[in-house]
Amino acid sequence: AAAAMLVLLAAVLGLRPWQAHLRERQDRTPLASPDVSDVEVYRVPQALDHFAPDGRAWTQRVFVRRTFFDGSGPVFVCVGGEGPPLDATVLVSSVHCNDAVELAPLAGALLVAVEHRFYGPEDDARPLPGFSLEALRYLSSSQAVMDLAGVHAWLTDAFAVYSPRNPFVTFGGSYPGLVAGYARLKLPHLFQAAVSSSAPWQAVVDMPEYNDVVGSALGNTAVGGSPACHEAVAAGHEALRPLLATLDGRRKLAGLFGFCAADALDEPAVATNWAASGAIDVPAQGNDPACGEAACNIERICLHMVHPRGAEEDPAGALVERLASVSKHQRRGECVDASSYDFAAQLAVLGNVSRAERAWPYQTCAEYGFFQTCEHGSRCPFLRGGLNLSDSFAMCKEAFGIDPEAVRANVRQTNLRYGARTPAGSRIQHVNGDVDPWSALGVLTSPDGNRTQPVFIACGASHHSWTHPADTIVQRSVVDAKRAVWGVVTKWVLEARQSTV
């Protein structure tokens, strides 16, 4: 069930699994293309291996916007990651770091964005050709942090900016939020502060918490959910179980849910993966309160699942039909591709060393885990018991030669290296939304009583929604989160000029 398990890593905005690289689904209306004429693009030389340099190098893409900078202001560094690739819009209007972009005119900041190694347009961000194991061994958060150090040195030479006269502040959301925080944690003499948004600091092998939060989001009245909605979605998925047990039942479901082929669910493992991953999309991670399409957010899903109905002769069957109706609304006429839930088919994709889809799953096996499960006794609203950890271990072993004990050791090492939920740093702001499933692994309680690592929880907010452009934000709590970032960063910039660390 690893293929389906990894589907639930998917995010519109970040921490995407390899399936999302194959079939990216964008639930938000694309932002209008802004004017990027004042954004410059540079190629910065970097060592292939910062920890055992052997003379091999590559060039990293760095975006710079000097419009607001007069030489005395701070340097705001937007950290790239595994999500949507960076382009020049990142320093004008995008979902990545608009908390920094919108503060820059007030702070007189030099704006910089750094593309993460291996995560960029075709052939653009690859230190070595392809995604073989020989190449991927140079993909890690530690290497990314040292890339930021290299960019810092380059900026100092190219633009005469110096720490702490020009305080460097890193920004990022999701995995880039981790790297932004790591840079401050490990290199405080170079980076004077960090804003770590929606960052899962606690690496884990088994992550039932993800789907627990998805279930809780369906019951959260702040986003239009209700306890009845969570129960309806969970009961509807449980009602799939007897149908999944027979070929006739699976064929019925394939037709009801609009699969591309009548025999799409004939293989029981594929059918179980589909149901345990969610017969419908519950967008807790990317919930958009302003969307207008049917079943496009939690409120609209819940209106469909629980609105008053008369007595039903077959309540379980009616719930299944409601799920199917929600699914069809969300797909907007497209059929369901069963290969997305076929573990063997997806492993075949991962076996192709030229495919960029290999990068993020490699990093989960080599550093983070984050394998989401849907377990009996949990608040997971999907088919409980259908996502098991052993298949995720199989993915790591078959695709990358990393066995289960090595995965566990890698996760332990990550937590030892960075401190998990209690990083021993300073001037790191931790911002999370309580509807975001990744918040379950975030720093929700300040390690030092909010003295130098303040925590802000945005009620009803999804995955780093405060990093989005202000004119797309409709929730007051998200506006407050962005203002909290601005207030803390402004204070820290002033402090940093008077401090050595």
Side-chain angles (χ1 to χ4, degrees), residues 7 13 16 30 63 75 108 122 135 150 181 261 273 313 322 324 342 364 385:
V7 167
L13 303 172
R16 302 178 302 163
F63 301 87
V75 181
E122 291 296 318
N273 286 347
E313 185 175 325
R322 290 183 216 174
D342 186 335
T364 65

Side-chain angles (χ1 to χ4, degrees), residues 225-247:
S226 67
C229 181
H230 175 264
E231 175 57 29
V233 174
H237 279 83
E238 185 59 29
L240 298 175
R241 196 180 298 276
L243 293 169
L244 293 169
T246 68
L247 179 60

Side-chain angles (χ1 to χ4, degrees), residues 48 120 186 232 264 384 403 439 476:
L48 175 64
K186 295 298 186 180
R384 294 171 187 166
D403 62 38
S439 68
R476 179 70 194 187

